[in-house]
């Protein structure tokens, strides 16, 4: 009975699973925990076909120039509201933040995230994120997996993160919600780190609202650009416009496309409301860089936005 209570306390798994583990492992605690970790993987495998469109997006903050953004999926919103799930989000986010193997700015998939060393709080002696997730699956009995994540580091710059409608949890180190954004600024003088961080935070808020797809026009592939031009050309022709007019219409509508999809071309949304002609993000960076006395151009090194459950390429 004492062993059962101890195993139940460590694992948090249902009593019937604890009893089964003890029976299978000859009342050896370490072996029982290892058996249960394997069972967690099996439970997850059985539920792999279950839709997992719920979950949380989380951001873990390191130094002023580093942060990690993560999305973890599960089957139901109720599972995403419990402390165990919040602890898992924190653990995976911190494991990603502290990872030296993840390339800065490169979005990692489930397999890559699960291979990370586990640096979170104890998950029954887990060594990897995959083992920690398996332990959580055993307790929650739902399909849970880290869907994607990115660690952003900007040397000699700043990285700020914004989470929309932050969920109130017992976890203080990681902010969680349905939308998370990271923005990194480069060209920041040491004397202006605080101001630059505030600016990056506001631009992150802008990204959450404006939904840019690219940083600049240069990030749009030739194939994507040509496809958009072809689409706009067909639309203009369907409106019965002559050829000479079609070309000018497509040119004007491509400018609108850039303004809608490219962050640097977008009109800044997070302003005081007093401006009659708010600047674009590109002009905002230039003016704020001058205020900060930047010796180099103040630029957006990278940005990432995760929206819970959104389709990705």
């Amino acid at each position: 009975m004492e062993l059962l209570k101890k195993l139940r306390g460590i694992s948090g798994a249902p009593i019937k699973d604890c009893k089964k583990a003890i029976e299978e492992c000859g009342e050896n605690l370490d072996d029982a925990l290892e058996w249960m970790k394997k069972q967690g993987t099996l439970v997850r495998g059985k539920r792999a076909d279950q839709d997992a469109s719920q979950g949380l997006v989380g951001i873990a903050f390191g130094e002023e120039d580093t942060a990690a953004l993560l999305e973890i999926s599960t089957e139901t919103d109720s599972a995403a509201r419990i402390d165990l799930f919040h602890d898992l989000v924190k653990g995976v986010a911190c494991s990603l933040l502290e990872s030296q193997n993840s390339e800065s700015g490169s979005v990692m998939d489930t397999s890559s995230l699960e291979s990370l060393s586990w640096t979170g709080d104890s998950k029954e002696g887990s060594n990897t994120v995959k083992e920690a997730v398996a332990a959580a699956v055993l307790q929650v009995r739902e399909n849970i997996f880290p869907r994607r994540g990115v660690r952003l580091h900007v040397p000699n710059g700043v990285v700020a993160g914004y989470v929309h409608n932050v969920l109130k949890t017992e976890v203080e180190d990681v902010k969680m919600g349905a939308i998370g954004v990271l923005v990194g600024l480069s060209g920041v003088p040491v004397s202006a780190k605080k101001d630059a961080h505030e600016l990056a935070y506001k631009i992150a808020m802008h990204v959450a609202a404006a939904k840019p797809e690219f940083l600049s026009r240069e990030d749009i592939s030739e194939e994507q650009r040509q496809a958009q031009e072809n689409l706009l050309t067909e639309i203009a022709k369907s409106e019965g416009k002559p050829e000479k007019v079609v070309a000018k219409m497509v040119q004007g509508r491509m400018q609108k496309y850039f303004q809608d999809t490219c962050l640097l071309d977008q009109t800044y949304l997070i302003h005081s409301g007093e401006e009659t002609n708010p600047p674009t993000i590109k002009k905002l960076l230039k003016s704020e860089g001058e205020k900060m006395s930047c010796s180099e151009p103040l630029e957006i090194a990278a940005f990432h936005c995760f929206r819970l459950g959104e389709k990705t390429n």
Side-chain angles (χ1 to χ4, degrees):
M1 182 61 71
E2 187 65 29
L3 181 60
L4 178 62
K5 288 174 61 178
K6 192 170 185 179
L7 184 58
R8 166 76 170 145
I10 294 174
S11 68
I15 291 178
K16 65 177 182 179
D17 291 328
C18 294
K19 286 182 177 180
K20 181 67 174 176
I22 292 172
E23 291 172 2
E24 292 288 333
C25 301
E27 301 194 354
N28 183 294
L29 180 61
D30 292 336
D31 289 347
L33 285 170
E34 187 63 29
W35 183 87
M36 293 183 79
K37 281 197 287 186
K38 292 178 180 178
Q39 291 303 302
T41 303
L42 290 176
V43 170
R44 180 180 176 187
K46 290 176 182 178
R47 301 198 64 82
D49 293 334
Q50 297 296 316
D51 178 60
S53 58
Q54 300 298 315
L56 286 171
V57 171
I59 296 180
F61 300 93
E63 301 297 328
E64 59 190 9
D65 60 359
T66 309
L69 173 63
L70 173 79
E71 179 184 0
I72 293 191
S73 301
T74 189
E75 295 175 37
T76 63
D77 181 64
S78 58
R81 300 287 169 171
I82 62 176
D83 291 343
L84 184 147
F85 192 82
H86 303 159
D87 290 339
L88 180 65
V89 174
K90 173 187 174 182
V92 180
C94 290
S95 297
L96 174 58
L97 181 68
E98 297 171 22
S99 171
Q100 299 301 313
N101 298 325
S102 57
E103 181 181 349
S104 175
S106 178
V107 178
M108 302 174 69
D109 60 12
T110 299
S111 177
S112 299
L113 288 168
E114 289 188 334
S115 68
L116 294 175
S117 297
W118 175 256
T119 62
D121 295 335
S122 175
K123 266 283 183 289
E124 295 77 63
S126 300
N127 295 311
T128 64
V129 165
K130 184 175 183 178
E131 291 178 357
V133 171
V137 169
L138 185 61
Q139 297 177 60
V140 180
R141 296 285 171 165
E142 286 195 9
N143 183 19
I144 300 173
F145 61 94
R147 185 163 179 249
R148 52 182 170 161
V150 61
R151 176 180 178 272
L152 184 59
H153 173 63
V154 181
N156 303 316
V158 297
V159 175
Y162 168 73
V163 175
H164 187 63
N165 287 341
V166 177
L167 181 68
K168 292 183 179 179
T169 71
E170 297 298 319
V171 177
E172 297 181 356
D173 303 338
V174 177
K175 291 184 177 180
M176 305 176 203
I179 302 173
V181 182
L182 291 183
V183 171
L185 296 182
S186 60
V188 180
V190 175
S191 60
K193 294 281 188 180
K194 183 177 180 181
D195 290 339
H197 191 275
E198 182 178 350
L199 175 62
Y201 178 78
K202 289 182 177 179
I203 293 176
M205 292 176 65
H206 167 95
V207 169
K211 304 179 181 179
E213 298 177 40
F214 312 99
L215 175 57
S216 69
R217 302 182 185 194
E218 288 69 31
D219 295 316
I220 304 176
S221 69
E222 184 59 35
E223 183 180 359
Q224 289 174 301
R225 189 187 295 255
Q226 191 61 55
Q228 185 64 26
E229 287 182 357
N230 292 342
L231 174 62
L232 294 176
T233 298
E234 290 301 317
I235 292 174
K237 287 181 177 179
S238 70
E239 295 172 354
K241 306 296 182 182
E243 285 293 332
K244 291 182 179 180
V245 176
V246 166
K248 290 184 178 179
M249 287 182 64
V250 170
Q251 185 178 17
R253 289 176 178 179
M254 280 300 293
Q255 294 304 311
K256 179 65 167 59
Y257 169 72
F258 295 141
Q259 292 167 7
D260 288 342
T261 62
C262 300
L263 177 55
L264 294 180
D265 286 310
Q266 290 183 333
T267 299
Y268 183 50
L269 299 180
I270 315 301
H271 54 82
S272 63
E274 299 176 358
E275 296 92 334
T276 55
N277 188 25
T280 62
I281 298 295
K282 185 175 182 178
K283 290 181 179 179
L284 174 72
L285 290 168
K286 187 175 186 300
S287 63
E288 291 299 315
E290 291 172 353
K291 292 178 184 178
M292 297 178 198
S293 302
C294 297
S295 58
E296 301 176 14
L298 182 65
E299 297 179 334
I300 297 176
F303 81 92
H304 295 276
C305 180
F306 289 178
R307 298 174 188 275
L308 181 66
E310 70 180 348
K311 293 182 179 181
T312 58
N313 295 328

